[in-house]
Amino acid sequence: MKRTIAIVAAAVLTVAGCGGGGAGGSGNRLSIATGGTTGVYYVYGGGLAKQLSANIANTQATASVTSASVENIKLLAGGKADIGFSQMDTAADAVNGKDTFTAKQPIKAIARIYDNYAHVVVAPGVEATKVADLKGKRVSLGPANSGTQVVARRMLEAAGLNPDTDITKQQLSINESVQAAKDGTIDAFFWVGGLPTAGITDLATSKPDMKMLDTSDVLAKMQSTYGQQYVSLDVDMSTYKLDGTVKTVGIGNVLLVPDKMSEQLAYDITKTLFEKKTELSAVHPEAKKLDVKLGQEVTPVELHPGAARYYKEKA
C-alpha cells in the first residue's frame, strides 16, 4: 500500500484533532507540529513525515504549520500532536513549569537535532548596530506562542530594554516579518532558526542592503539569567549570499513527543530519524548535523524510553 505525505498549508490547517499517538484503527496517524512555511522546522518536518510514512509499518505522518516551539509543546501536551519541534530553552521551561508554562508539561525527548541561530534582521536604511539600538523602533518579536518570541524578549531585556514599552512591538510570523521589512512597515525583526532560513534568503535576495545585528553583547546576561543553554554561534553570511560573519546567540533544537507515547513507536521514530539521515539531509542541510551522541544531550528534558533504547543499542 502506497504511503503518502500531506504537508498542510497554513491557509487550510486545522490542528485540533490531528493527534493520533499511534492509536487504533488501521495504523498510526502521526501529526508533526513544525513552524512557519519558510522556516527550517516546516521543511525538516515535511521530510521527516515522508520518512516515517515510508519506513514505519502502517503509519501515515503529516507535517503541520504552527507558531513553533511554545504552541508545539501545548499541542503535544493536549493530545493534538504526536511529534513536535522545539528550542531547548522553551522545552526546559516546559518541563520545569516556568515562564510561559504554568505547570510541568508531559513531554519527553527523542533527540537533539541541530542548533538554532538568533537572527536580528534590520531593514534597509535603519540605523542600528546592536540590540539596544532597537529602542523606539518598530520591531517584530515573532508570532505569539513561538520560541522566537521567548528569545527575542530575553535578548531585549539583556540589552536593557523593556519589550513591551521600549519598542513598538509587533508579533509577526517569519513570512509576515519578511514582507513587512520589504514594505518598510517594520524596522527590524527577530527570527530564531537554522541556516539557511528560506524567508531570510528571500529578503536578502530582494534587499541585499538588509543587515543582521551582532548580538554577542547580550549573551553573558542571558547565560547568567537563564543558563548555559544559550551559546555563541557565528553566522557565515555567505549562507544568505551576503558578506561577512555575524556573531549571535545560539540555542539547541529538540524533537519532542508526549510522555505517554508507546516505547516501540518512540523507538521506531528515533531509528528512522537517524537511519534516514541522508534522505533528510537532501530535504534540508541542517539534517546533516544529526549525530547519535549529540542526540542524547537533551537535559533538562528526559529521553523517552523508546529513544533511550535506540541509543543504548548504538553505544
Side-chain angles (χ1 to χ4, degrees):
M1 180 177 182
K2 185 176 179 182
R3 299 180 181 95
T4 59
I5 170 179
I7 296 191
V8 184
V12 299
L13 175 70
T14 303
V15 174
C18 289
S26 59
N28 301 317
R29 297 182 64 83
L30 302 178
S31 173
I32 305 175
T34 63
T37 56
T38 59
V40 178
Y41 283 178
Y42 182 76
V43 178
Y44 203 134
L48 180 60
K50 182 176 181 179
Q51 294 307 317
L52 296 177
S53 297
N55 292 285
I56 301 178
N58 301 313
T59 294
Q60 182 176 8
T62 302
S64 301
V65 177
T66 70
S67 295
S69 298
V70 175
E71 182 182 2
N72 291 352
I73 290 172
K74 291 180 177 179
L75 291 170
L76 291 172
K80 297 177 181 177
D82 306 293
I83 303 169
F85 288 76
S86 176
Q87 293 170 190
M88 281 299 309
D89 55 348
T90 306
D93 288 346
V95 296
N96 289 315
K98 291 175 54 181
D99 290 354
T100 306
F101 302 95
T102 56
K104 295 181 179 181
Q105 302 298 297
I107 56 172
K108 291 287 191 289
I110 291 292
R112 180 170 175 162
I113 49 177
Y114 67 96
D115 286 336
N116 263 353
Y117 296 72
H119 298 64
V120 186
V121 178
V122 177
V126 175
E127 294 295 324
T129 58
K130 58 184 185 296
V131 176
D133 294 338
L134 298 179
K135 185 173 183 178
K137 293 183 168 57
R138 302 165 299 172
V139 183
S140 172
L141 305 187
N145 290 320
S146 68
T148 290
Q149 186 156 150
V150 172
V151 174
R153 295 183 68 88
R154 291 176 178 180
M155 293 180 81
L156 288 166
E157 289 167 356
L161 301 183
N162 184 321
D164 298 312
T165 60
D166 286 334
I167 61 171
T168 300
K169 179 181 68 176
Q170 297 194 40
Q171 301 182 93
L172 307 178
S173 69
I174 178 62
N175 310 42
E176 293 166 336
S177 292
V178 167
Q179 191 59 51
K182 289 181 181 180
D183 296 341
T185 56
I186 60 171
D187 299 308
F189 67 87
F190 286 81
W191 170 251
V192 182
L195 300 179
T197 290
I200 295 176
T201 300
D202 173 41
L203 180 62
T205 300
S206 62
K207 300 286 185 180
D209 49 344
M210 61 148 271
K211 60 186 176 184
M212 272 181 56
L213 299 186
D214 182 318
T215 68
S216 56
D217 62 320
V218 303
L219 177 60
K221 177 66 173 176
M222 293 178 73
Q223 289 176 328
S224 65
T225 305
Y226 300 106
Q228 298 301 309
Q229 57 200 312
Y230 295 111
V231 299
S232 177
L233 292 177
D234 291 343
V235 179
D236 180 350
M237 293 302 287
S238 67
T239 301
Y240 294 115
K241 297 181 172 55
L242 300 175
D243 296 329
T245 301
V246 174
K247 291 190 176 297
T248 194
V249 174
I251 313 100
N253 286 301
V254 64
L255 204 61
L256 303 171
V257 296
D259 62 3
K260 65 182 179 181
M261 177 176 280
S262 75
E263 180 178 325
Q264 186 59 46
L265 181 56
Y267 173 89
D268 290 341
I269 292 169
T270 310
K271 180 178 180 180
T272 302
L273 175 71
F274 286 99
E275 296 192 357
K276 295 301 176 180
K277 176 179 176 177
T278 299
E279 290 83 352
L280 291 170
S281 298
V283 174
H284 197 284
E286 287 290 11
K288 295 176 182 177
K289 297 175 184 174
L290 283 168
D291 177 80
V292 169
K293 183 178 179 181
L294 174 68
Q296 301 173 64
E297 297 177 7
V298 296
T299 304
V301 186
E302 293 180 3
L303 282 171
H304 191 286
R309 173 156 65 96
Y310 176 79
Y311 293 127
K312 186 176 181 179
E313 288 180 0
K314 292 297 177 180

